[in-house]
Amino acid sequence: MTTIRQKLARGVVATAVVAGTLAVGAPVFAAKAGDKCELKQVYSIAKVGTSYIRCEIVPGTSLHASDPKKKAQFKWKSLTGKTADLQWQMASAKGANIRIDGSSTVAPLATVAAKYFESATKSISGKKGVKVAVGISGTGGGFEKFCRGETDISNASRAIKSSEAAICQKNGISFTEIPIANDGLALVVNKNNPVSCMTMAEVKKMWAASSSAPTKWSDINSSWPSTPLKLFGAGTDSGTFDAFGDLSTVGGKDKLRKDVSTSEDDNVTVRGVNGDTGGVGYFGLSYAIENADKVKTLKLDKGAGCVEPTVATVQGGTYPMSRPLFIYPKNDSLLSNPAVGAFVNFFASNVKQISEDAVFVPLTDSQIKAMSGALLRIAALPKKKP
Amino acid sequence: MTTLMSSIPTDLRPSGHIQRQRRIERFVVAILMVIASSGVIITTGIVFSLVQPTYRFFTERAISGYGNEEFVGVEESAESGVRDSSELGFADESQIQYAEPVTLGEFFGSTAWYPQYGDGDFGVWPLLVGTFLIMLTASLIAVPAGVGIAFFLSQYAGQRARRILKPVLEVLAGVPTVVFGFFALFFVGPNIAKNIWPFNEVGIYSGLSAGITVGLMILPMMATLADDAISAVPNSLVEGAFALGATKREVCTGVILPAGLSGIMAAIIIALSRAIGETTIVLLAAGSQAVWTFNLGKEMQTMASYIGFAGIGDQPVDSKGYQTIFAVGLLLFIITFGLNMMSRKVVKRFREVYE
Amino acid sequence: MTTSHFVASLADSTTRLRRNKDAGFLIVLWTSLLLAIITLATLVINTLISGVGSLSPDFLTWFPSPFPEDSGIQSALFGSLWVTLTSGVVSLILALGTAIYLEEFTNPNSRLQRFITTNIQTLAGVPSIVYGILGLAFVVRGPLGWGFTVGSAAATLTMMVLPLMIVATREALKAVPSSLREGSYALGATRWQTVYRQVLPAARPGIATGSILGVSRALGESAPLILLGALAYVSYNPTGFDSDFTVLPLLIFKWSTEVQEEFRGLAAAAIIVLLLLLFAMNLVAIIIRDRSRIRW
């Protein structure tokens, strides 16, 4: 991990445009390391003497803990040299704007990153922090805007398609693909549903388009109740929908059944399944964890027994329906707008904390290695547009 | 005017001051004319922005894909690591897949509406039926209650009651639709729609809760318009009926209702057209499934809510799925336009009778 | 039973029947009335119950956040202010121009006036979502290509409220008695001088109330903006017409679809703020209307 950090730091230094003096704005907090801070200040930086402190979430506590004893606490922590490097770059990016758009699945992650990044830049350069706007147009919609040059970063819950990359190329937009977190697709059912585990064959039977598609739970497995089946799915131009087409083993999104209530917004599915006894839907594991009190997550069996979707099983690949999530920064933005480079670096170097606070499955070590490669590559981008 | 001008003696011609005023006058009129044309420009814009993409929807084919794509999983992402746009291979022309234009026959002849799946199904009937059902539910609430309130205001309420009731209606009419949407989602759905529908278990989203709420939303408008229609009924008719010993009810149902019927009809039509065009309430409360069903207890989409739904999805521009926004929008525009024309026709007839 | 008896009992029973029917009818009317009042009451109470807990000074000054604990509405408030004021001012200018032209400079029975009037009536009946399509095709993309910015939203809402504003300002101008104009002409004023110095000041209260109602429509509207491209997270106030932004109705829409209970409370709290704003605007309109009621 340290080596990666160093690599990151080096990449950062290479992309830093201006290494001016670090102007810590309004010294609002007369705090020192170890003092308490609050949620609004998380990732804010303050100068104490000659060193810097940053407001962080105390390890072992969590924003999403149900146990009140583990509820998040916030404390100032000293910034060590390597992390402090990042701040130089952020200081040079004051007042800039970043436009992010794309997948609704990745949006919560990007939103948390944006919030922390804004706190950090604001505390460094006074009121004028970097302004980050995060939109939700779906993965396809996001790429559409991205390839017309309207956004700096596109969020995607699947890899870019060659059709989309072709449009980008036609418009002279080059970009870098960075896996930023993982997500398992969770199948969720109503709390009152007795079913707790499904085989992948049953999943396929449930979701595949066919003239004899099941209409009741008992149509799939005779030992299940005869409650009518009520399917909720992701919006049909979302990456979640694409991914489910592949991961559910029905053989691509075109083979999914159509009598499904679809929405771009995963919350629609939570509400729907929560309100309907025979309801079943799928969405990112993060949502399933966050809404564990409203819906029940099914275990899945691809032949090696029932596997519960957890951070570990998704990262390890034993859970059958897992996928990576991506961000796509535009290379031109990385070169012309130092804030974009700073944001990507910030996101990458704090990805574990950000993933945890946004309830996402963090990257595996090998993915982090791959990501650090991306950052080095960004650092090595030619200074001028060819 | 010209003859008058020519007969004016030279020394009485407008002074420079007046000439300047005339120039100002002409200038002002020119500017006002330009401004007054803004409405026409907007109408042209609406028609153009709807018709052109709709025409393409029905006549041109659209790119639907570039050959089969590989799925990138967790392991692949770690292996392939980071990709630069320059490393992505591009499909050549031969791999491009096209979607054929949608025929009018399919649009109006099919009951399957799945614009985003594979080749897509583009039968608009589920949306039409959803629109109709929600409009019907809304009108079952708003029409009788609206006319009832109008009768109450005009015949039963004293000055003081009117002074309280009118503002209540005005406030209700001013409540934003997103607020009604919130109300539908968290109050009407779970507390009312769920308990009154006998045919199936009503889920969190239903045409019923959306329809009821849309009805409540258009109620004040319906009441105000019906009140206007009732006040247009000549007083002599009402007084004559009272003189003959009729009760208030008999005056309402026997005299005012038939006499003001065309005005009330016009009010109903306008209220209905408002219900048809309502987007946010339906988008929040009726779900996102456009299926061929007549069961109000199920999820449904209206034309308007589909446009909002597809707009959030932001499908690739130029795909058939994206163009549906415009085709459905044009249909919605034509229907509401037709209803408004109709209400004006009805009003005209009503005026002829009593002027 | 004799005939006279029969007639008497018949008369008696019809009177009773009539009375019962009258009572029944009154019950029906009361029910309709109660429906409206109960709707308003339930809506307000339901919102208050879920929202009051989240209302605080911080709620007004904080920015939207991914965490409900520190979410506020400042950027949405300012976004609403920018968009509503811009569209209010622009549509008022356009509506006034149109209304003056139609009322003061054209013959009421002329073809031109009838054409423009019909056109405006048509526009007033167009569903708001269709204005969203227009905005998407012409302002956000297409010829103007402004993207999803304050400017695009204001332009779209301007087009949407314009017909309402025109109708309202025309009514205000119509209410000015023609004797005032004739007096002005008799003193040698030109048409424009008459309009500018006599008609407009006299119609000012009517114009003010009309435009306040138009602006409050723009303040509460959500559907066209959803179509233009709603943003999920904007934590800063607009700085210009090319700024990213969010508005209160969009934030309410977004929070209503969030699952966490806390966001529902936030949505309700935002609704309270929105309703208070609308209520205040309507109050101003009513005060203007009552204060300046001139009897001609």
Side-chain angles (χ1 to χ4, degrees), chain A residues 39-40 63 99 111 114-116 118 131-136 144 148 265 267 270-271 290-291 294 357, chain C residues 62 65-67 69-70 141 149 230-233 235-236 239 242-244 254 256-261:
Chain A
L39 175 60
K40 283 202 87 66
L63 286 171
R99 277 191 174 149
T111 308
K115 182 186 161 69
Y116 289 168
E118 284 176 345
K131 297 167 175 176
V132 190
V134 182
I136 15 176
E144 196 251 314
R148 281 196 287 132
D265 187 346
N267 299 311
V270 176
R271 280 195 202 295
E290 205 168 318
N291 297 295
K294 297 191 181 66
D357 296 347
Chain C
W62 285 357
S65 153
F67 312 118
E69 297 92 324
D70 65 345
R141 294 174 181 158
T149 55
L231 281 169
Y233 174 76
S235 65
Y236 46 87
T239 50
D242 61 343
S243 277
D244 301 304
K254 168 95 184 15
S256 299
T257 57
E258 296 276 358
V259 185
Q260 282 170 278
E261 292 286 320

Side-chain angles (χ1 to χ4, degrees), chain B residues 305-327:
Chain B
S305 79
Y306 171 77
I307 296 171
F309 167 77
I312 297 175
D314 203 348
Q315 300 150 55
V317 170
D318 292 342
S319 69
K320 284 287 160 226
Y322 185 79
Q323 289 167 352
T324 54
I325 292 179
F326 301 95

Side-chain angles (χ1 to χ4, degrees), chain B residues 180-205:
Chain B
F180 273 109
F182 180 86
F183 185 61
L185 192 55
F186 295 114
F187 188 84
V188 178
N191 296 326
I192 300 176
K194 234 187 167 97
N195 298 327
I196 61 167
W197 194 246
F199 306 107
N200 66 316
E201 198 188 325
V202 175
I204 193 92
Y205 306 106

Side-chain angles (χ1 to χ4, degrees), chain A residues 58-384:
Chain A
V58 174
T61 69
S62 159
L63 286 171
H64 305 278
S66 46
D67 179 359
K69 280 179 198 156
K70 290 188 176 165
K71 250 316 187 203
Q73 294 170 25
F74 314 98
K75 274 189 182 158
W76 292 104
K77 255 185 83 181
S78 315
L79 267 187
T80 47
K82 289 286 180 262
T83 2
D85 281 346
L86 254 174
Q87 317 318 327
W88 296 102
Q89 196 187 13
M90 288 197 287
S92 69
K94 62 180 166 185
N97 279 46
I98 304 177
R99 277 191 174 149
I100 305 177
D101 207 326
S103 162
S104 59
T105 312
V106 187
L109 185 74
T111 308
V112 172
K115 182 186 161 69
Y116 289 168
F117 185 65
E118 284 176 345
S119 293
T121 54
K122 245 183 220 167
S123 66
I124 291 173
S125 48
K127 268 275 162 201
K128 268 194 175 174
V130 175
K131 297 167 175 176
V132 190
V134 182
I136 15 176
S137 301
T139 301
F143 278 131
E144 196 251 314
K145 288 184 178 167
F146 182 70
C147 292
R148 281 196 287 132
E150 291 173 12
T151 53
D152 299 309
I153 298 175
S154 209
N155 294 329
S157 56
R158 56 161 167 79
I160 191 167
K161 301 201 172 237
S162 57
S163 58
E164 291 158 332
I167 297 168
C168 270
Q169 193 194 39
K170 208 162 66 188
N171 296 341
I173 307 274
S174 59
F175 55 82
T176 308
E177 176 185 87
I178 304 176
I180 201 71
N182 289 316
D183 200 16
L185 278 183
L187 263 189
V188 293
V189 295
N190 190 279
K191 285 257 174 196
N192 296 324
N193 194 322
V195 178
S196 64
C197 179
M198 281 177 82
T199 65
M200 288 316 285
E202 286 163 348
V203 172
K204 184 178 176 180
K205 195 172 172 192
M206 179 187 264
W207 291 92
S210 118
S211 53
S212 60
T215 57
K216 297 192 297 269
W217 281 84
S218 51
D219 292 346
I220 303 164
N221 183 326
S222 53
S223 65
W224 292 348
S226 59
T227 324
L229 199 56
K230 183 89 175 63
L231 301 134
F232 293 87
T236 42
D237 68 345
S238 71
T240 311
F241 179 73
D242 284 8
F244 188 72
D246 290 301
L247 293 172
S248 63
T249 66
V250 302
K253 62 171 180 171
D254 293 353
K255 299 203 171 71
L256 284 169
R257 62 193 286 186
K258 294 171 180 172
D259 51 348
V260 174
S261 181
T262 61
S263 173
E264 213 58 47
D265 187 346
D266 293 339
N267 299 311
V268 171
T269 305
V270 176
R271 280 195 202 295
V273 172
N274 181 251
D276 200 312
T277 337
V280 56
Y282 59 86
F283 43 65
L285 176 60
S286 51
Y287 272 98
I289 294 173
E290 205 168 318
N291 297 295
D293 53 333
K294 297 191 181 66
V295 291
K296 182 164 85 174
T297 306
L298 291 181
K299 292 172 189 153
L300 291 182
D301 181 359
K302 63 175 175 185
C306 293
V307 179
E308 198 182 342
T310 62
V311 171
T313 56
V314 167
Q315 284 188 330
T318 51
Y319 180 70
M321 300 208 294
S322 34
R323 60 170 171 166
L325 304 171
F326 304 91
I327 59 171
Y328 289 81
K330 180 165 77 174
N331 289 353
D332 278 356
S333 296
L334 288 167
L335 295 173
S336 61
N337 182 352
V340 177
F343 176 74
V344 171
N345 274 316
F346 178 88
F347 200 164
S349 42
N350 298 296
V351 71
K352 284 212 162 166
Q353 184 70 50
I354 292 170
S355 300
E356 191 180 306
D357 296 347
V359 209
F360 277 72
V361 180
L363 296 174
T364 64
D365 285 348
S366 51
Q367 282 175 314
I368 288 184
K369 235 176 235 166
M371 181 176 67
S372 67
L375 296 172
L376 286 176
R377 219 184 282 223
I378 290 171
L381 281 174
K383 284 286 171 248
K384 269 197 175 171

